[in-house]
Amino acid sequence: QRLATWTEAVDAAAGLLQGQGCQRVVAIGIGIGGLVACRALARGAAIDDLALWSVPSRGSRLVREMRAFARIIEAEVIGVDRGSEAPPGLDEPAASDRGDLNVAGFVLTAEMIAELESLDLAELAVPDASRRRILLLGRDSAPPDPQIREHYERSGAAVTIADGPGYGAMMVDPQFAEIPRQVFASSIAWLADGSGARPGADVGAVRPRIPAPASDGIELTVGDALIRETPFEFEYEGVVLSGVLTEPVSNAGAHGGFCAVLLNAGAVRRIGIQRIWVEVARRWAARGVPSLRFDVVGVGDSDGEELLYRDRGAFQRSEFADQVRAAFDELERRGVADRFLVGGVCSGAYWGVHSGLVDDRVSGLLLLNLLAFFWSPELGALRDARRARALLQQREVGTVLRILATDRWRMTRMLLLKLRGGLAPGRSDESQARLRSAVVAALDQMRDRGVEVLLLLSLAEPLFDDFVADGLIDRLAEWPNLHLDQIPTNDHLFRPRWSQRYVHDALDEALARTLAKSSKRPAAD
């Protein structure tokens, strides 16, 4: 009954705003968000007006789009996984056999699909239509769904039609998304025109005010345990970073002084890929371990310029560790913790490594698909050249040409380094030896400080190839604190459901190891 739950959430949010004194509440929705907003309005939510961008009149159309998108992802990513199998105990019937739909890692159950497919906005009531305003935005060159327009015009609402340029540029990988400023400006102008009631509307007849909640947090039940989530903001170099602090209530103090800090995966906001950090935070809080998941500068709800991340490699910078350490400082200042387990995927794992190398408060690291311990364009070019040689030796010429055709940036990087002499045999060996020494020094440092490290890599991750090429795979016994594991999938983002369960199990085991080692440490002087 997820559709009903989402509708109730919109109803609650609108009621909260009204309870805080808002005279008119406008629900703005894109795609499925618009469907839910219309459903909430029909069920009496405290919503006055609607702004709908690329909202279909029927949920079945949205489901068709999601099915098409899921097939594209399967062909591009999961398709290369053929031959890799889920470990025993994690395999499951194919989603199609159950009627579920895996949309790039987010699953719509068969029940949810049926609910959406039965939803027809033209069949929904429009209470007090004469006092409502509806803004319908197209999708780039495509106009709004005509059936929605007819439905709301027939109901007597004041309908405004506008273009929706920039939709496609917005719906791409988050670090490359472009803000649709033209649509923002036109929508704000529309809102301003209707900031008061429509002529003839009876403002005094608006629903009774709902008292605003007295708390800034929320308590949730996870299993038999009670946990609490609260907004968490702190300052970093003049900007405000935002996150969510999840703490135990019923098991408070079970692991005193210890907290997990969970980081963005690139420009993916603090929920993590496939909401991994939300699930981890709540599960661990039920076990007595608090956690903070927050957005770095310019990502999600945090302040800062998002255009910082348009360049390749923008996230692979050690300076991000300063933001992680600022989170440590604030958590310690508030008395939450003074020891930390830091988790990240890809670039988030990179920031975790570099916070662990400079901050003694780090007790453990959760490094999922870490790109490198020390990143540089030189390393990227060396890896590209190594992969190209391996593919050519396997007579996979077509694969090499396809990579070059779809990712010319890699070709440019290799050519520039070649022109500078960086890929000459002697220089290449020298660079590889220098990088290997830096990684060994980092591993030695974390071992000597007793930092527990989980390094979980998919099969296609280049860092594992580095470990093999540099001979480090044969030296793992030197670092008993390092737990290197390969998950049998080529998918960098763990989209198959079984791989997500594999990751969660590995994270829980890493938490147990870190807590066990932390509890054995002598108290500080």
Side-chain angles (χ1 to χ4, degrees), residues 168-195:
M170 174 179 64
M171 294 296 186
V172 296
D173 288 343
Q175 67 268 31
F176 301 124
E178 296 181 10
I179 294 176
R181 299 188 186 279
Q182 182 178 339
V183 169
F184 282 9
S186 62
S187 299
I188 290 171
W190 175 82
L191 287 168
D193 288 343
S195 57

Side-chain angles (χ1 to χ4, degrees), residues 17-72:
L17 291 171
Q18 188 188 62
Q20 291 178 337
C22 295
Q23 290 188 347
R24 292 186 73 79
V25 176
V26 183
I28 303 178
I30 300 175
I32 198 169
L35 290 173
V36 175
C38 294
R39 193 173 187 270
L41 172 64
R43 281 163 169 71
I47 295 172
D48 297 284
D49 304 325
L50 294 170
L52 307 176
W53 193 1
S54 185
V55 177
S57 60
R58 290 187 174 91
S60 56
R61 176 180 164 188
L62 193 66
V63 171
R64 286 198 302 272
E65 287 190 6
M66 288 190 285
R67 289 191 189 280
F69 181 68
R71 285 194 293 269
I72 292 172

Side-chain angles (χ1 to χ4, degrees), residues 99-439:
D100 296 349
L101 178 62
N102 186 334
V103 188
F106 293 92
V107 174
L108 291 180
T109 64
E111 177 195 29
M112 179 63 185
I113 291 172
E115 288 181 330
L116 281 175
E117 289 183 328
S118 66
L119 183 58
D120 185 347
L121 298 190
E123 297 177 354
L124 298 180
V126 187
D128 300 322
S130 62
R131 58 175 296 273
R132 303 196 185 281
R133 304 169 68 240
I134 312 292
L135 172 64
L136 299 179
L137 294 164
R139 181 160 152 177
D140 289 323
S141 59
D145 190 315
Q147 290 180 303
I148 294 184
R149 176 176 184 173
E150 293 172 7
H151 171 59
Y152 283 116
E153 286 180 340
R154 203 166 44 241
S155 72
V159 178
T160 300
I161 306 298
D163 293 331
Y167 183 90
M170 174 179 64
M171 294 296 186
V172 296
D173 288 343
Q175 67 268 31
F176 301 124
E178 296 181 10
I179 294 176
R181 299 188 186 279
Q182 182 178 339
V183 169
F184 282 9
S186 62
S187 299
I188 290 171
W190 175 82
L191 287 168
D193 288 343
S195 57
R198 289 185 61 205
D202 184 1
V203 179
V206 175
R207 311 156 197 84
R209 291 179 62 171
I210 301 171
S215 172
D216 290 330
I218 186 172
E219 290 188 348
L220 306 170
T221 301
V222 179
D224 297 328
L226 190 65
I227 70 171
R228 181 177 178 80
E229 291 197 328
T230 53
F232 189 95
E233 293 186 339
F234 60 100
E235 187 174 332
Y236 171 76
E237 293 188 351
V239 299
V240 176
L241 305 187
S242 298
V244 174
L245 179 64
T246 307
E247 298 176 283
V249 175
S250 53
N251 291 327
H255 303 287
F258 191 84
C259 180
V261 176
L262 309 172
L263 307 175
N264 300 114
V268 177
R269 63 192 188 281
R270 60 177 176 265
I271 67 171
I273 56 172
Q274 288 81 54
R275 295 182 79 243
I276 183 175
W277 294 144
V278 177
E279 296 178 16
V280 164
R282 294 174 178 174
R283 185 172 68 247
W284 287 2
R287 299 177 185 181
V289 178
S291 66
L292 170 66
R293 54 187 190 273
F294 78 95
D295 294 319
V296 295
V297 170
V299 174
D301 289 325
S302 291
D303 293 342
E305 177 53 64
E306 74 280 354
L307 293 179
L308 292 169
Y309 307 121
R310 298 303 298 272
D311 296 333
R312 291 270 196 163
F315 288 104
Q316 308 296 332
R317 302 203 311 269
S318 58
E319 306 94 272
F320 281 94
D322 294 337
Q323 299 177 46
V324 181
R325 297 181 70 203
F328 295 167
D329 293 341
E330 185 63 17
L331 287 164
E332 190 167 12
R333 187 188 70 80
R334 299 190 191 187
V336 176
D338 56 11
R339 292 170 296 151
F340 303 99
L341 171 64
V342 185
V345 181
C346 192
S347 53
Y350 190 80
W351 312 333
V353 165
H354 288 271
S355 67
L357 288 174
V358 298
D359 200 309
D360 291 340
R361 293 172 291 182
V362 175
S363 298
L365 293 171
L366 308 170
L367 311 178
L368 279 57
N369 280 342
L370 174 66
L371 184 63
F373 281 86
F374 300 94
W375 173 253
S376 67
E378 180 183 48
L379 173 61
L382 289 170
R383 286 175 170 178
D384 292 340
R386 182 175 64 203
R387 185 184 180 196
R389 285 195 299 269
L391 289 171
L392 291 173
Q393 289 172 359
Q394 299 167 15
R395 305 194 179 206
E396 294 283 350
V397 178
T399 302
V400 175
L401 294 176
R402 186 165 60 252
I403 292 172
L404 296 180
T406 57
D407 198 346
R408 295 183 179 180
W409 176 78
R410 291 180 181 274
M411 184 64 176
T412 301
R413 182 172 63 183
M414 282 195 294
L415 287 174
L416 287 175
L417 195 61
K418 181 72 174 176
L419 291 173
R420 295 169 186 157
L423 286 180
R427 290 285 299 278
S428 178
D429 294 343
E430 179 184 333
S431 298
Q432 189 169 345
R434 185 171 63 253
L435 291 168
R436 179 173 61 246
S437 296
V439 172

